[in-house]
Amino acid sequence: MFSDSLPARVTILGAGAWGCCLETLLREQQHQVTVWSRRYHRPLAAAIQNADVVISALSMQGVPIVAAQLKALGIPPQTLVVSATKGLNPGSYETPSQLWHQALPNNPIVVLSGPNLAAEIEAGLPAATVVASEDLAAAQRIQTLLNSERFRVYTNGDPLGTELGGTLKNIIAIAVGVCDGLNLGTNAKSALMTRALVEMTRIGVQLGAQPQTFWGLSGLGDMIATCSSALSRNYRVGYGLAQGQALGAVLAEIGSTAEGVNTAQVLVDLAGRDGIDAPIATAVAQILAGHMAPAQAIETLMSRLPRAEVLEIQRPC
Ligand SMILES: NC(=O)C1=CN([C@@H]2O[C@H](COP(=O)(O)OP(=O)(O)OC[C@H]3O[C@@H](n4cnc5c(N)ncnc54)[C@H](OP(=O)(O)O)[C@@H]3O)[C@@H](O)[C@H]2O)C=CC1
Ligand SMILES: O=C(CO)COP(=O)(O)O
């Protein structure tokens, strides 16, 4: 295990926008960083050799594949594994950190999630994030590793809630992009985001997360960042669709991962399985599948039966 006073040896899996940004932050803290990508010629075994910390900044589709590769290679039990992906595994509905835990059951797993638009951090702007784990000591080590004057790192003991906040807000950012693309105004956007927070919390709590986590940086915080910035790829997807662009064209223009596009239907299937009401995610999935025009989806949401504004989220018995 690395000492807090020494530079740590960190391997980052994934050389996309987020992996490269984390590399910048870690190098500024004088850590020894190796970045692995399937595009590089360096084998995974060599990249993870002697790593104190392995950070996964892969997009969701890469996680089960690379986790299986790492399982086959084996890593020492003291190596800390950090999951920075925001998504859900289709079919099994597992979160990225759950996949890492299955592959590497003896390693401490830490979730990293928050309002972290990579382009802003790369530009040197200040930001904050959350590192969450059932193993508090592991979360604190990652806090020490990454915390700096421009990247403030908080610990949290609810990894599931922390992870789901980042995952679910991607779907909401698509919805808010639609709202802005249709020029529906500030009142509509405020209503959508507020009800979305209730929906995210309801889903998260049903799945076993703590409600308060959704009011923090990894929930509300990330939702505000992603829903209010044209830097967000998920927001841009919704905006483009509302402006009449085809999904394929918007994604080609963006040229990198917009996880909400893949997560929406997975989440709707999961909500259907568990009987969870998820009207906003359902509307987004319908738009993405081309089953409903953006304006029609808004109409459907607005014509739901009037109800009480219930804000207490019940934990399942
Ligand atoms: N960008 C951001 O601001 C933030 C992103 N995130 C999350 O981090 C994750 C990555 O995002 P980001 O870096 O922006 O996305 P990018 O599209 O920029 O990069 C995705 C990375 O995943 C790799 N990858 C995808 N599929 C596979 C696979 N099958 N096997 C191996 N590697 C694979 C890609 O490799 P290749 O280049 O070879 O395709 C690439 O390195 C997402 O879940 C995102 O939601 C979290 C916080 C901030
Ligand atoms: O997760 C992010 C910011 O926290 C990045 O958002 P996008 O994936 O929508 O670009």
Side-chain angles (χ1 to χ4, degrees):
M1 180 71 77
F2 63 96
S3 144
D4 286 347
S5 57
L6 291 175
R9 291 161 298 195
V10 184
T11 298
I12 299 174
L13 308 175
W18 192 214
C20 292
C21 180
L22 288 167
E23 179 190 11
T24 302
L25 289 170
L26 287 159
R27 284 200 193 282
E28 281 176 6
Q29 298 294 97
Q30 315 303 327
H31 297 299
Q32 295 167 24
V33 188
T34 301
V35 179
W36 175 86
S37 160
R38 62 179 170 178
R39 288 170 194 266
Y40 299 171
H41 296 300
R42 192 167 187 210
L44 181 58
I48 57 162
Q49 206 175 21
N50 300 323
D52 301 305
V53 179
V54 172
I55 301 181
S56 164
L58 300 159
S59 51
M60 186 64 231
Q61 56 162 339
V63 174
I65 299 164
V66 180
Q69 290 169 2
L70 224 62
K71 178 183 180 170
L73 289 169
I75 58 171
Q78 67 272 20
T79 307
L80 299 181
V81 176
V82 180
S83 173
T85 303
K86 297 174 177 175
L88 276 179
N89 195 33
S92 72
Y93 309 124
E94 285 146 318
T95 66
S97 77
Q98 288 168 345
L99 291 174
W100 284 110
H101 180 66
Q102 271 172 28
L104 306 166
N106 300 319
N107 293 81
I109 310 285
V110 177
V111 167
L112 187 153
S113 196
N116 296 150
L117 294 159
E120 287 193 359
I121 298 172
E122 286 282 22
L125 298 174
T129 202
V130 179
V131 289
S133 180
E134 277 156 20
D135 180 339
L136 187 60
Q140 284 168 340
R141 295 197 85 93
I142 300 304
Q143 179 183 45
T144 304
L145 185 89
L146 264 173
N147 191 71
S148 69
E149 281 178 9
R150 74 181 188 97
F151 195 61
R152 185 163 169 75
V153 182
Y154 291 83
T155 56
N156 185 305
D158 178 17
L160 179 63
T162 301
E163 198 168 26
L164 285 173
T167 292
L168 300 181
K169 66 79 197 175
N170 281 336
I171 303 171
I172 304 311
I174 296 176
V176 172
V178 165
C179 189
D180 281 354
L182 291 173
N183 286 312
L184 299 183
T186 311
N187 293 332
K189 183 151 87 169
S190 163
L192 181 57
M193 287 173 68
T194 308
R195 293 310 298 167
L197 186 62
V198 176
E199 181 168 318
M200 283 166 54
T201 311
R202 180 168 57 234
I203 295 167
V205 168
Q206 285 281 330
L207 297 177
Q210 299 294 326
Q212 306 89 304
T213 308
F214 294 88
W215 314 331
L217 284 169
S218 61
L220 178 62
D222 204 0
M223 184 174 81
I224 293 172
T226 317
C227 293
S228 51
S229 173
L231 289 174
S232 160
R233 297 155 299 182
N234 289 288
Y235 174 91
R236 285 170 64 190
V237 166
Y239 193 92
L241 291 174
Q243 296 268 301
Q245 277 185 277
L247 178 59
V250 187
L251 291 175
E253 203 174 282
I254 293 170
S256 72
T257 309
E259 293 281 18
V261 172
N262 302 316
T263 311
Q265 189 56 50
V266 182
L267 196 263
V268 168
D269 293 344
L270 173 60
R273 184 196 73 177
D274 292 357
I276 309 170
D277 194 26
I280 301 172
T282 304
V284 170
Q286 299 263 36
I287 295 171
L288 291 168
H291 295 154
M292 218 182 247
Q296 194 192 350
I298 300 290
E299 249 175 67
T300 306
L301 285 174
M302 290 301 285
S303 46
R304 280 160 46 86
L305 281 179
R307 60 185 60 216
E309 190 192 25
V310 178
L311 297 172
E312 305 87 48
I313 308 284
Q314 304 295 327
R315 291 191 72 84
C317 307

